[in-house]
Amino acid sequence: MNNKIRQAAGRLRGKTLPSKKYTSRYSLGLLAASFSIAVSAQQTNESSLPEISVSAGKSDSRNVVKSAVSNENSGLPTSVTVIDRAEIDRTNVGRDISDLLRRVPGVMAHTLDQGDIGNSIKMRGFFSSSHGADTAVYIDGVPQNLPSSAINHGMNDMSWLTPEMIDSIDVIKGPFSALYGDQNRSGAVSITTRNVAENSIAISVGSQGSKRLNAVISGKSGPIQSLVVADLYKIGGFRANSDGERGSLFIKESMIQGDSLWAVRAAYQKSDWNAAGFLNVNDLRSGKVSDTQRDPSSPPLWGDARRGSLVLSRAPASGAEGLRVSAYVEDYERRRATGANATALNVAADDRRIMGARGVYDMLFGDKAALAFGADVRRDVGTALNQNWPNSLPGTNYSLDQDLDLVTYGVFAQGQYKLLESLKLLAGLRLDSFDYDISNRKLPAASLSYKQSVATPKFGVVWTPVSSIDLFANRGSGFRSPAQSELSPSGTLGPLGANGGSSFPDLKPSKVTSYDFGFNLRATSRWHMSAASYHTVNDNEIAQIAPNVFGPVGNTTRDGWEVESSFDFTSDFSIYGSFGRIIRAHINSAAPGTASDLSVPRDTYKAGAAYATPFAAGKLLFNADAYFISGVPYFSGTPLVKSYSRPYSRYDLRGTYSVGKVDWTASLVLQPHQYSSEVAVGSTAGLLIDPVARTQVNLAMRYRF
């Protein structure tokens, strides 16, 4: 990004932003600081070569008996995937942390190659945006979705995470757990960070000028266990103006006191990126532009972010019963510049102070019943704005400029009861209330105070006619909070303080109601299979209606099914495969001449294998994964005409050789389809895509000590 433009932007916001050169030095300082912290800690005794388990991208959660009473997510009567530490270690993760979810059946996990603009986690036909606003994401009990974001309402941003920080990931399909609130429409993702890890330092280099340096330091001093993870990442990019860099530091201190495991963690991230934008497929095919060019219809695009958080948590020291509490504060700043026209930018910016707390108490009553109940509260204070920058410099016209004070309260309870030895019932309920104060600087007359509530019940049943099979069915509701653009619309582009405007204090929060039924089969100790069918209705959905434009599209309906299976030939060789079919993803009340279907793939295929074998003095581990989507509808032209984008495929190959204290890794990503990407955006000018490199290679070395 041009430094002169960056400095002008900083003065506009009352501070000076560092240049990229300074950012690099600052990030190196973070890495050095992490080593200083680690010097005072006693090293752990994990210097031996770790045992490598193989299950082709699946974890032991496949063997969970759904009829067993449990407050764990894996015990819910619906499709749940648990990603364990071993799977995390063997997954290709480049710029996007959501790559960790690529193997999960029915899940599309990706981000556009446009910088740190959110992490897309799409499932069960939800594909309304590319910023992760369809799925509730929690990390150590802390919600990650940002309500009323200027970039996209409800976006989730996990770019501060690295794989080395994560212990496990639970992926819950459908809005069937009462423990998760805002944006729990397609489902929820719950991530737990690590308390301890093996000391290591790693370096990797790859295609597109990608470079990564990572350090993990863990030690123990008296009762206190320390973990420090420092990470630097830089990429030149496949396309022009698509470079970026990111630095992050994660520090966690934990200790057991009595029956409690206490932990405090701090995280900091700073990132800068440029973005290439979208290209028209017709222009690519005609040779007017090449797939490595940036969008020629706008100035160079860019973004930057700074984020810091502090979290205090308490969990039971052992066992599943007891109180779990998370309290957090966060400072969040993020900007993204998108093209307005050939000479102007629209700069969306969020500047928030976030604080909140969550408590859950888990109880077990033998093997007959379980109960979890709790409450959470969150407050977001700050601004959301979208400012027009003519000639790439700050101007006086805005699409949005609001002061926000958003408070959400929630109480919830969820219980399981084993009516018979073969029959388990589940019921849950959430009550969430919103207390919003929105000051609209663009249209002051549209400012408002908003108070509304929403109830989302859950019901489920599991029948286990024989010990090897569980049959399940669910009915559940989820919700999304109302967006500031719905409660207090800002009108068209113009100056601050304009006349006119009105608010909508009686707007009800959008709800989704979903049904599913399926089975979970443990045919043998080596073969597992499961399938589910679903029907979902979402009222007043927000969807992407044009490039970088999101708005309400009315009620939508989704129907589909998915099936997955895995088989362990031996303890060292296993395979998996899954198929998902979306029968309908329809906008129910679409006006004539507008888009009537959502841009979701009709078919999603996934398959893979993992193999481990001793070799010389060490051990070899191979992973191969294939991913294919097809039948993605889009609407283009005048009037709009429905078409389908080209299929997209991706193949991940990865090999690791562990010998002594060193791991050597080589990985290859193939994306062979030309004029194809995971996201299809229709426009009056035709299909817009984000071209990707057909081949990506990465080499890495990790030294454990």
Side-chain angles (χ1 to χ4, degrees), residues 13 28 47 83 90 137 158 188-189 280 355 358 427 459 477 506 510 528 533 557 653 683:
R13 300 178 62 189
L28 288 172
S47 59
I83 302 172
R90 61 176 175 265
V137 178
M158 300 185 294
V189 173
N280 190 299
M355 62 193 74
R358 167 185 171 90
F459 303 97
S477 295
D506 297 325
S510 175
H528 165 261
S533 178
T557 299
L653 305 174
S683 72

Side-chain angles (χ1 to χ4, degrees), residues 437-622:
D437 287 308
I438 300 176
S439 176
N440 192 324
R441 290 194 291 256
K442 170 74 165 42
L443 296 178
S447 301
L448 87 161
S449 293
Y450 174 82
K451 290 179 171 59
Q452 292 285 347
S453 299
V454 61
T456 48
K458 331 277 182 177
F459 303 97
V461 59
V462 178
W463 179 41
T464 307
V466 294
S467 60
S468 61
I469 188 169
D470 302 312
L471 306 176
F472 61 82
N474 293 275
R475 180 194 185 278
S477 295
F479 73 93
R480 68 162 174 83
S481 56
Q484 34 76 9
S485 58
E486 298 171 300
L487 297 173
S488 177
S490 295
T492 59
L493 183 68
L496 300 180
N499 294 325
S502 59
S503 61
F504 296 88
D506 297 325
L507 181 70
K508 299 296 183 182
S510 175
K511 288 182 64 172
V512 57
T513 300
S514 186
Y515 304 82
D516 84 344
F517 64 90
F519 69 83
N520 184 49
L521 171 65
R522 300 168 302 281
T524 70
S525 61
R526 294 184 176 183
W527 179 37
H528 165 261
M529 183 178 181
S530 65
S533 178
Y534 56 87
H535 169 71
T536 303
V537 177
N538 187 14
D539 69 329
N540 198 26
E541 180 169 351
I542 292 178
Q544 185 165 343
I545 55 180
N548 306 312
V549 178
F550 302 87
V553 296
N555 294 352
T556 59
T557 299
R558 293 168 172 84
D559 298 291
W561 56 270
E562 57 197 35
V563 59
E564 60 104 356
S565 183
S566 61
F567 185 77
D568 297 336
F569 289 97
T570 69
S571 60
D572 292 327
F573 178 46
S574 57
I575 60 174
Y576 76 95
S578 67
F579 173 69
R581 164 66 61 88
I582 294 175
I583 301 170
R584 182 165 94 154
H586 188 69
I587 301 172
N588 299 337
S589 54
T594 65
S596 58
D597 291 326
L598 299 165
S599 292
V600 299
R602 181 191 60 212
D603 298 320
T604 302
Y605 302 83
K606 298 185 180 186
Y611 177 67
T613 182
F615 181 78
K619 195 165 191 176
L620 279 169
L621 175 63
F622 296 101

Side-chain angles (χ1 to χ4, degrees), residues 228-559:
V228 177
V229 180
D231 194 86
L232 299 177
Y233 180 82
K234 187 172 184 178
I235 189 169
F238 169 65
R239 299 171 58 195
N241 198 64
S242 62
D243 57 303
E245 58 184 43
R246 177 195 302 152
S248 62
L249 178 64
F250 175 91
I251 303 172
K252 188 173 184 180
E253 307 286 334
S254 56
M255 65 178 294
I256 293 178
Q257 186 175 33
D259 61 353
S260 302
L261 172 61
W262 293 93
V264 58
R265 67 165 170 84
Y268 182 82
Q269 179 216 28
K270 193 176 190 310
S271 61
D272 293 86
W273 64 89
N274 291 316
F278 291 87
L279 292 178
N280 190 299
V281 169
N282 294 329
D283 291 342
L284 286 165
R285 287 175 171 160
S286 68
K288 184 177 179 179
V289 297
S290 71
D291 57 2
T292 59
Q293 282 185 245
R294 69 172 180 84
D295 178 7
S297 66
S298 68
L301 312 179
W302 52 267
D304 52 34
R306 184 182 66 81
R307 186 174 188 178
S309 63
L310 182 67
V311 179
L312 174 67
S313 62
R314 188 270 184 195
S318 62
E321 292 186 278
L323 178 65
R324 303 173 190 274
V325 177
S326 298
Y328 55 92
V329 293
E330 183 171 6
D331 182 58
Y332 185 99
E333 296 181 43
R334 184 165 303 271
R335 296 187 303 170
R336 183 195 183 194
T338 58
N341 54 48
T343 60
L345 296 169
N346 286 326
V347 178
D350 292 297
D351 189 350
R352 306 285 184 86
R353 256 44 71 205
I354 304 169
M355 62 193 74
R358 167 185 171 90
V360 183
Y361 196 86
D362 291 326
M363 303 172 66
L364 292 175
F365 303 90
D367 60 356
K368 296 289 292 183
L371 176 65
F373 59 90
D376 49 35
V377 60
R378 170 171 168 159
R379 183 180 185 187
D380 290 66
V381 179
T383 61
L385 63 86
N386 194 325
Q387 180 183 18
N388 187 256
W389 285 31
N391 300 314
S392 297
L393 291 173
T396 58
N397 290 323
Y398 293 76
S399 300
L400 164 74
D401 191 344
Q402 296 182 339
D403 277 326
L404 306 173
D405 191 343
L406 313 177
V407 183
T408 302
Y409 308 92
V411 294
F412 50 87
Q414 182 166 277
Q416 299 184 8
Y417 179 67
K418 209 166 187 181
L419 187 64
L420 302 170
E421 185 60 31
S422 61
L423 187 67
K424 183 178 78 171
L425 305 178
L426 177 140
L429 177 66
R430 277 196 70 98
L431 297 173
D432 290 271
S433 298
F434 308 96
D435 187 351
Y436 288 1
D437 287 308
I438 300 176
S439 176
N440 192 324
R441 290 194 291 256
K442 170 74 165 42
L443 296 178
S447 301
L448 87 161
S449 293
Y450 174 82
K451 290 179 171 59
Q452 292 285 347
S453 299
V454 61
T456 48
K458 331 277 182 177
F459 303 97
V461 59
V462 178
W463 179 41
T464 307
V466 294
S467 60
S468 61
I469 188 169
D470 302 312
L471 306 176
F472 61 82
N474 293 275
R475 180 194 185 278
S477 295
F479 73 93
R480 68 162 174 83
S481 56
Q484 34 76 9
S485 58
E486 298 171 300
L487 297 173
S488 177
S490 295
T492 59
L493 183 68
L496 300 180
N499 294 325
S502 59
S503 61
F504 296 88
D506 297 325
L507 181 70
K508 299 296 183 182
S510 175
K511 288 182 64 172
V512 57
T513 300
S514 186
Y515 304 82
D516 84 344
F517 64 90
F519 69 83
N520 184 49
L521 171 65
R522 300 168 302 281
T524 70
S525 61
R526 294 184 176 183
W527 179 37
H528 165 261
M529 183 178 181
S530 65
S533 178
Y534 56 87
H535 169 71
T536 303
V537 177
N538 187 14
D539 69 329
N540 198 26
E541 180 169 351
I542 292 178
Q544 185 165 343
I545 55 180
N548 306 312
V549 178
F550 302 87
V553 296
N555 294 352
T556 59
T557 299
R558 293 168 172 84
D559 298 291

Side-chain angles (χ1 to χ4, degrees), residues 164 197-201 214-218 227-230 702 705:
E164 294 79 12
E198 187 175 20
N199 295 339
S200 66
I201 185 166
N214 176 270
V216 178
I217 308 296
S218 185
L227 175 64
V228 177
V229 180
R702 179 175 298 276
F705 57 94

Side-chain angles (χ1 to χ4, degrees), residues 78-289:
T78 188
S79 298
V80 179
T81 298
V82 179
I83 302 172
D84 60 15
R85 185 63 229 172
E87 182 176 349
I88 293 169
D89 282 336
R90 61 176 175 265
T91 302
N92 285 341
V93 180
R95 189 172 186 168
D96 183 13
I97 190 68
S98 55
D99 282 339
L100 287 171
L101 306 179
R102 280 193 176 273
R103 294 189 184 101
V104 179
V107 171
M108 293 184 65
H110 66 91
T111 187
L112 295 174
D113 193 20
Q114 306 292 324
D116 293 344
I117 58 173
N119 298 94
S120 173
I121 305 171
K122 313 288 176 51
M123 49 189 164
R124 300 220 157 170
F126 278 83
F127 201 70
S128 59
S129 75
S130 296
H131 308 285
D134 304 312
T135 303
V137 178
Y138 287 68
I139 301 176
D140 294 332
V142 179
Q144 300 297 298
N145 302 84
L146 189 69
S148 295
S149 167
I151 294 177
N152 181 32
H153 173 64
M155 69 171 286
N156 90 75
D157 173 26
M158 300 185 294
S159 61
W160 64 273
L161 273 177
T162 70
E164 294 79 12
M165 301 174 189
I166 301 173
D167 184 63
S168 64
I169 305 172
D170 292 358
V171 182
I172 307 161
K173 296 176 187 175
F176 302 127
S177 174
L179 275 62
Y180 306 102
D182 196 5
Q183 302 297 335
N184 183 15
R185 297 178 296 151
S186 68
V189 173
S190 178
I191 299 175
T192 303
T193 61
R194 305 169 82 178
N195 295 322
V196 61
E198 187 175 20
N199 295 339
S200 66
I201 185 166
I203 185 170
S204 67
V205 294
S207 304
Q208 306 171 28
S210 66
K211 306 178 185 69
R212 184 169 181 241
L213 178 63
N214 176 270
V216 178
I217 308 296
S218 185
K220 189 173 183 181
S221 179
I224 299 176
Q225 178 70 60
S226 301
L227 175 64
V228 177
V229 180
D231 194 86
L232 299 177
Y233 180 82
K234 187 172 184 178
I235 189 169
F238 169 65
R239 299 171 58 195
N241 198 64
S242 62
D243 57 303
E245 58 184 43
R246 177 195 302 152
S248 62
L249 178 64
F250 175 91
I251 303 172
K252 188 173 184 180
E253 307 286 334
S254 56
M255 65 178 294
I256 293 178
Q257 186 175 33
D259 61 353
S260 302
L261 172 61
W262 293 93
V264 58
R265 67 165 170 84
Y268 182 82
Q269 179 216 28
K270 193 176 190 310
S271 61
D272 293 86
W273 64 89
N274 291 316
F278 291 87
L279 292 178
N280 190 299
V281 169
N282 294 329
D283 291 342
L284 286 165
R285 287 175 171 160
S286 68
K288 184 177 179 179
V289 297

